[in-house]
Amino acid sequence: MEKKETSEVKMNNIHSPLKMPECWNDDLRMDYLFSYFRPPTVNPLDYESKMKFWSSVIEAWCLHYTKPMFTLATLKKAFQRNGIAPCCLPGVVFNMHKDGDLVLHSDFVQIPQQSWTAWTVDLLVKKPVVWTYNKVKETVLKTEEAADNTVYIHAGACKDIGKRLMSALKRSHTNGLLELSELAKICNMEDLDQLLVVVHGLRRQGKAAIKEEGDDVLVKLGAPSITEVDVGIYSLRQNEQILVKHLEQLETEKETAVEEARTYVQKNMKQAARSCLRKKHVLEKCMDKRFTALENIRMMLNRIQDASSDAKILEAYKMGLAALKNTLDASGLTEDTATSTMVQIEEVLDVHNEIQAAMSKPVEEDDADLEQELATLLKKPTEIEHKLKELSILDDLPEPPDSLPAARPAKQKLPVMQPAL
């Protein structure tokens, strides 16, 4: 069986301070932002500007330090400037809670399931964690002292951190049930309370499940519930780890017994050496039993993994079969239609072949007139011979000279002399 990869994936920046806005160093601007809120009716723009600044800063603080859960007292301490806490924070928290950006912790953990509610109350009350509940919701923020101890959850930051947690778990190639402390080690979140809030936020989205198994808090991400199969696999893996550790311990004790036996032999203490060898043989028998149990557990885990893979393959086959049936039904493709179509294709091909054969035959011309004319010519040999003689006479004539004789020059007429008077 493959060992689970437990490489830590950093999700927070607890060692680096939060980068504040540029105006944080402007004394005049920060004095204004630290002052008390004016009523929205007096100056709406002033109210919106101040709320926008502090809402973004508080959300950035939650994401940077991976702390979606906080109290007003925590914010006052976190945003002190020159030893002075912002006076407007109670109003900021009140308005963010009214707008739905902040959720009371007591409301956040309420799930309409008795088992989950019972688990939440038991876990958060009995275990040493810093959770504070408001018994009366209407008293929230009526006094500054009550508001300081009220626990809030930043809904947006909790959702974003949950996405980062899912990505970190995916990169670590870890799946199945995990104990809360093991999950904290993988995602490098030291505060289990904050981690539990993030997991619960995923639980509200149907992307996580939580179950208490003895003293362990089991978490499964990416699934809305935890099945008995998941618990069984988790139990087998835990027993596997226990056996491995026990075998390592037995191996160490065995090597120690062998070394002690050698030491006693050198000191000529044979009885003590025999005792060490007996202990070695006992340890070897115990190790053989543990090895057998370990092999059985690993074989069962492999079988479960193979069965899970086979189930997924079978499900893929079923989906493919359903898709194929739907395609055949939609296209109207059946055995009868396919056979009929092939028969029609053969018939059409036969007709086409006949057409091709007919078009490839040579065209026969009517030679009756030619035969009659040829017979006529054969019946009149005298005319033909006469023509041939004429041709032969012409052949006996002398060939004309290559060049004609030059023509004689014409006589020139003398001019007529006129008598003199």
Side-chain angles (χ1 to χ4, degrees):
M1 177 180 174
E2 298 180 358
K3 294 184 179 179
K4 292 188 296 184
E5 186 176 342
T6 58
S7 58
E8 296 182 359
V9 182
K10 292 185 178 181
M11 288 181 50
N12 50 20
N13 302 286
I14 57 177
H15 301 296
S16 60
L18 174 65
K19 184 178 180 181
M20 303 301 293
E22 295 181 359
C23 63
W24 191 261
N25 297 322
D26 188 344
D27 293 336
L28 184 62
R29 174 65 175 169
M30 294 312 300
D31 288 343
Y32 158 73
L33 292 173
F34 269 48
S35 62
Y36 287 99
F37 268 100
R38 294 181 181 180
T41 55
V42 176
N43 192 342
L45 296 178
D46 172 77
Y47 172 84
E48 292 179 3
S49 175
K50 189 176 293 187
M51 276 298 304
K52 184 177 180 181
F53 172 83
W54 283 110
S55 298
S56 60
V57 169
I58 291 173
E59 183 176 4
W61 181 86
C62 293
L63 293 174
H64 182 80
Y65 294 106
T66 322
K67 292 183 177 181
M69 179 181 65
F70 56 85
T71 62
L72 180 57
T74 304
L75 295 182
K76 288 181 178 180
K77 183 178 179 181
F79 295 113
Q80 282 187 358
R81 184 176 180 272
N82 298 328
I84 301 174
C87 300
C88 60
L89 280 181
V92 172
V93 172
F94 176 82
N95 286 285
M96 290 181 69
H97 172 249
K98 184 178 65 174
D99 295 339
D101 296 332
L102 300 182
V103 183
L104 287 175
H105 182 273
S106 56
D107 296 337
F108 190 78
V109 298
Q110 287 181 359
I111 295 293
Q113 294 181 7
Q114 183 62 31
S115 59
W116 168 256
T117 305
W119 173 85
T120 304
V121 174
D122 178 73
L123 180 66
L124 302 184
V125 173
K126 293 183 179 180
K127 294 195 175 182
V129 294
V130 186
W131 299 83
T132 305
Y133 289 93
N134 248 352
K135 295 183 179 180
V136 183
K137 183 177 180 180
E138 290 77 10
T139 60
V140 176
L141 291 177
K142 282 190 176 180
T143 62
E144 186 175 350
E145 289 75 18
D148 284 348
N149 297 324
T150 304
V151 182
Y152 296 93
I153 308 296
H154 195 294
C158 185
K159 188 175 182 179
D160 291 342
I161 296 172
K163 292 180 181 179
R164 288 156 54 181
L165 177 61
M166 296 287 289
S167 300
L169 196 66
K170 186 177 181 180
R171 289 194 297 271
S172 67
H173 304 288
T174 305
N175 52 17
L177 282 183
L178 293 172
E179 208 276 326
L180 188 64
S181 59
E182 186 179 2
L183 179 62
K185 184 178 180 181
I186 292 175
C187 61
N188 196 26
M189 285 186 65
E190 299 178 357
D191 195 335
L192 296 183
D193 305 338
Q194 300 286 351
L195 177 59
L196 193 59
V197 168
V198 176
V199 174
H200 182 64
L202 294 172
R203 169 70 174 81
R204 292 167 64 92
Q205 303 174 40
K207 297 180 180 179
I210 306 176
K211 185 176 182 179
E212 188 177 10
E213 190 73 15
D215 295 333
D216 297 333
V217 179
L218 305 182
V219 178
K220 183 178 182 181
L221 300 183
S225 61
I226 296 176
T227 63
E228 295 297 330
V229 176
D230 295 328
V231 176
I233 294 175
Y234 175 80
S235 178
L236 288 174
R237 287 177 176 172
Q238 291 298 111
N239 290 328
E240 179 188 16
Q241 294 178 4
I242 293 172
L243 284 174
V244 170
K245 291 181 180 179
H246 194 195
L247 284 170
E248 291 176 354
Q249 182 181 357
L250 292 175
E251 183 68 26
T252 303
E253 292 179 3
K254 174 186 171 182
E255 293 177 356
T256 303
V258 172
E259 291 297 328
E260 289 178 354
R262 290 175 180 171
T263 303
Y264 288 137
V265 168
Q266 292 176 357
K267 294 179 180 180
N268 201 18
M269 300 173 63
K270 296 183 179 179
Q271 189 64 28
R274 290 193 187 95
S275 178
C276 292
L277 292 178
R278 290 192 187 96
K279 181 180 179 180
K280 169 181 170 291
H281 291 306
V282 172
L283 291 173
E284 287 178 346
K285 291 180 180 179
C286 186
M287 290 177 64
D288 292 338
K289 294 179 181 179
R290 297 294 185 269
F291 271 121
T292 303
L294 181 61
E295 290 176 357
N296 292 335
I297 288 176
R298 289 178 173 175
M299 181 187 66
M300 292 180 66
L301 287 172
N302 289 332
R303 294 290 178 84
I304 293 173
Q305 187 176 3
D306 293 340
S308 178
S309 300
D310 294 340
K312 292 180 181 179
I313 294 173
L314 181 60
E315 187 65 25
Y317 286 163
K318 290 180 179 179
M319 294 176 63
L321 178 60
L324 181 58
K325 286 182 178 179
N326 292 334
T327 303
L328 294 177
D329 294 339
S331 61
L333 184 61
T334 61
E335 184 178 358
D336 295 336
T337 56
T339 303
S340 176
T341 302
M342 294 306 297
V343 171
Q344 293 178 15
I345 291 174
E346 292 178 358
E347 293 177 356
V348 173
L349 290 176
D350 291 339
V351 173
H352 182 262
N353 292 334
E354 292 177 359
I355 294 173
Q356 291 290 335
M359 294 180 65
S360 62
K361 289 183 179 180
V363 180
E364 296 182 358
E365 297 181 355
D366 190 4
D367 297 339
D369 296 339
L370 296 177
E371 294 292 338
Q372 186 177 0
E373 185 177 356
L374 181 60
T376 303
L377 291 175
L378 293 175
K379 291 179 181 180
K380 298 179 179 180
T382 55
E383 295 180 2
I384 297 174
E385 291 177 357
H386 180 68
K387 291 180 179 180
L388 293 175
K389 287 181 179 181
E390 291 180 355
L391 293 174
S392 63
I393 292 172
L394 292 175
D395 293 336
D396 292 339
L397 294 177
E399 296 181 357
D402 295 338
S403 61
L404 297 176
R408 294 179 181 180
K411 293 182 179 182
Q412 298 181 356
K413 293 181 179 180
L414 296 174
V416 178
M417 301 295 296
Q418 297 292 335
L421 296 177

